[in-house]
Amino acid sequence: MAKTRQTAEFGDFQTPIELAKRVCTLLLKRGVAPRTIIEPNCGKGAFLKASVEAFESASRIHGLDINPEYIEVARKRLPSTVRLRVADFFTTNWQQLLSDCPEPVLFIGNPPWVTNSALGSLQSANLPKK
Ligand SMILES: C[S@@+](CC[C@H](N)C(=O)[O-])C[C@H]1O[C@@H](n2cnc3c(N)ncnc32)[C@H](O)[C@@H]1O
């Protein structure tokens, strides 16, 4: 499949739900029992959906993504208790968000697949401030 500029710049590959479920099942078997789950680049929400189903221990679930269309897709497939928002990972106030989250916290997901040099050649601003 050809990559568009947008999929390249945002390292975009939406994880198939079956794969996300297998990852969560494995974590569950290993005794992972989070009270908070955070997916910082949640895309269309495959890992959030798999997490909701796998981790009954979690009472707080956050999903963030820079792409508003993906957040809308995620909103439609997830329960309203999942806190979704359009946000840039690099400018999110993580300290504030985490201060309100019961522990243990599980960060889960499939981060953007893009290198600094690819971002440089695209003259992208999708980078942390240096
Ligand atoms: C590899 S995809 C994975 C999506 C989702 N985690 C999954 O596993 O299906 C990477 C995601 O990161 C998002 N993304 C890229 N740069 C971001 C940024 N600076 N802040 C928040 N999300 C970002 C993209 O929109 C995309 O949905």
Side-chain angles (χ1 to χ4, degrees):
M1 186 171 69
K3 271 191 183 175
T4 64
R5 181 193 154 103
Q6 185 173 338
T7 55
E9 181 177 5
F10 293 98
D12 195 351
F13 169 78
Q14 300 299 307
T15 306
I17 185 68
E18 286 312 319
L19 179 54
K21 283 183 179 176
R22 287 178 73 168
V23 171
C24 290
T25 302
L26 188 67
L27 292 173
L28 198 63
K29 278 189 188 155
R30 293 191 173 196
V32 174
R35 292 181 65 209
T36 297
I37 296 168
I38 300 177
E39 195 182 359
N41 314 99
C42 69
K44 297 178 182 175
F47 270 101
L48 291 173
K49 186 164 174 51
S51 296
V52 167
E53 291 169 10
F55 301 110
E56 287 175 4
S57 56
S59 59
R60 181 77 57 90
I61 304 179
H62 288 280
L64 300 78
D65 200 280
I66 201 165
N67 186 328
E69 289 172 20
Y70 287 170
I71 290 293
E72 272 319 298
V73 174
R75 217 179 281 291
K76 286 185 185 135
R77 76 196 294 203
L78 292 162
S80 58
T81 47
V82 176
R83 299 163 191 227
L84 293 166
R85 69 166 95 157
V86 178
D88 183 342
F89 179 90
F90 299 119
T91 55
T92 294
N93 186 338
W94 289 104
Q95 207 168 13
Q96 187 181 59
L97 193 151
L98 284 166
S99 68
D100 194 28
C101 292
E103 293 185 0
V105 177
L106 172 66
F107 277 84
I108 198 165
N110 180 5
W113 287 80
V114 63
T115 61
N116 271 356
S117 67
L119 289 171
S121 63
L122 290 167
Q123 296 182 317
S124 170
N126 193 23
L127 290 162
K129 264 208 174 107
K130 291 194 177 128

